[in-house]
Amino acid sequence: MFDYQLDGTIATITMNDGKANAVSSSFLEGMNAALDRVEADKAGALILTGREGMFSAGFDLKELQTGADAQRALIKGGFELLVRLYEFKKPVLAACDGHAIGMGAFLLMACDTRVGTQGGHKFSLPETAIGMDLNALLVAIAKAHITKRFLTRVAIQSENLGPDVAVEAGLLDLVVEPAALMATTKGFATQLAQLPGAYGRNKTHVRAETLAEMRAYLEQIS
């Protein structure tokens, strides 16, 4: 499901289960193991990417339906991953060449710099449309990144956005042609990897309020 590559100081984690890159218990295990490798290798920056056409479509709905205990563990693990990515000490960049739906969109927002591609990809928070509540942790990260003009449309009305509109809404920073995705993202990663350790400290300082809200919710469900 995961491919890990280290090119100089740039680590790349590729999510590819051949399907929706659904966030399952095995996904969480693989992702956390890959992040451990990034830290062990002392990489200067991390690129998180998916397969062509799919970043991630969110939580594995089949696993969520296997019982209350499994559901609780999967959701908690997913939210812990969001916190880990959001406060990761090194620059985290997303190279997104496909759909980012639900938890997939939150994984995208947990990255520092998000580059997408032109195409028919959709970005959305479908929770309202499928009858689910957005909890305080998800609201905190959504409010930190989705612009005020789009917050109602995305977080409350579950509007599907194309790549260009996703830039306006704050889910993406930049959209490029598919052939230029990795070169563009690696260019940004190379620049960011040269920044000193203050990067991680200032990330924590700037995001302190959002991280506190996220952790407070995690404590509630622990």
Side-chain angles (χ1 to χ4, degrees), residues 48-65:
L48 180 62
T49 190
R51 64 178 179 82
E52 183 180 355
M54 180 61 68
F55 189 74
S56 172
F59 277 119
D60 186 331
L61 297 181
K62 290 183 178 179
E63 187 168 337
L64 287 175
Q65 296 168 358

Side-chain angles (χ1 to χ4, degrees), residues 5 17-18 25 47 50 77 101 106 126-127 131 134 147 149 160 168 180 192 198 209 217 219 221-222:
Q5 299 289 333
D17 64 2
S25 54
I47 296 173
I101 310 296
F106 285 105
E127 283 76 9
L134 286 170
T147 62
R149 186 162 71 92
N160 289 319
E168 293 184 58
L192 293 173
E209 184 175 345
Y217 182 77
E219 290 179 3
I221 64 174
S222 296

